[in-house]
Amino acid sequence: PSIATLTALRSLAVDACALRDLPAALFTLTRLAFLDVSHNELDELQPAFTSLRALRCVHAHCNRIASLPEHIGVMTHITELRLDHNLLTLDALPRSLARIDNVHLDGNTFDDATQSLLDLGWHVLRRRVAEPHAVLDEQALTHSMEVSPAAITLGECIGRGAFGAVHAGVLRVHHQLSAHVLAAATAVAVADDDDGDGDDAR
């Protein structure tokens, strides 16, 4: 039977099936919430992909995807979109992609400048995607990521993948080697202890 007859289907995994394109029947599955098409040979997500308005989670990593639907941003209901390890470039990312909150893009064919933004997180790169002609210099990005040492945790430091200097009660976070993250967290702890009530350092 055709997949189009499975109108109530909510989850579909066709990973590692040597698919070169998504069959048209797939786009009739209007209740589909989870789709795994990873580890195939897809070179694009067709425009009809945006008709899957019930999708919440899409795994399309480890393909050869170099093109996305121009209006993919209408799929704001997606909570996770994995496009890592494909052949995408910055120019191939439609501006509407910035409307999706959680997009994975590691391992694509970005230039160094774009990769540096991605290393800071999708929340940073999405600004470039949404405003491709805007000036987003590293100093401005660094300034926008300043945080209070009292509020930052080691997990947040690791998540930012960054290290800066503690001065005037502020940890300035900027893109550097993640090996320095623990040192940054330690510096924060020391700074907090110096300002504290004399408790023993841990």
Side-chain angles (χ1 to χ4, degrees), residues 54-68:
L55 275 179
R56 297 294 182 272
C57 182
V58 179
H59 290 181
H61 53 287
C62 298
N63 279 281
R64 302 173 182 173
I65 296 173
S67 177
L68 299 173

Side-chain angles (χ1 to χ4, degrees), residues 14-158:
V14 285
D15 51 308
C17 290
L19 294 176
R20 295 193 174 185
D21 53 39
L22 299 178
L26 173 67
F27 306 126
T28 66
L29 303 179
T30 57
R31 297 186 183 181
L32 198 64
F34 173 83
L35 176 63
D36 185 351
V37 292
S38 63
H39 297 274
N40 281 294
E41 300 176 15
L42 304 177
D43 58 15
E44 68 170 348
L45 295 181
Q46 298 104 297
F49 180 77
T50 59
S51 66
L52 299 174
R53 298 299 179 89
L55 275 179
R56 297 294 182 272
C57 182
V58 179
H59 290 181
H61 53 287
C62 298
N63 279 281
R64 302 173 182 173
I65 296 173
S67 177
L68 299 173
E70 180 180 357
H71 301 295
I72 195 171
V74 302
M75 307 178 79
T76 54
H77 44 275
I78 290 179
T79 58
E80 182 183 41
L81 176 57
R82 289 199 58 182
L83 294 169
D84 40 312
H85 301 284
N86 279 289
L87 299 178
L88 292 164
T89 64
L90 179 61
D91 290 340
L93 302 181
R95 294 180 65 175
S96 68
L97 183 66
R99 299 175 191 164
I100 299 177
D101 288 335
N102 186 12
V103 182
H104 300 261
L105 289 167
D106 291 325
N108 278 280
T109 54
F110 297 128
D111 57 36
D112 290 343
T114 302
Q115 186 61 49
S116 293
L117 295 178
L118 180 58
D119 288 343
L120 291 172
W122 166 240
H123 67 288
V124 176
L125 179 59
R126 72 190 296 186
R127 292 177 57 192
R128 166 63 71 204
V129 174
E131 303 176 67
H133 302 297
V135 177
L136 301 179
D137 61 83
E138 184 175 355
Q139 182 177 1
L141 290 171
T142 298
H143 179 74
S144 71
M145 295 177 68
E146 288 183 353
V147 294
S148 165
I152 198 166
T153 66
L154 178 59
E156 288 169 335
C157 284
I158 294 174

Side-chain angles (χ1 to χ4, degrees), residues 147-154 156 166 168-171 185 187-189 191-193 195:
V147 294
S148 165
I152 198 166
T153 66
L154 178 59
E156 288 169 335
V166 177
V170 172
L171 172 65
V188 172
D192 283 347
D193 188 65
D195 293 335

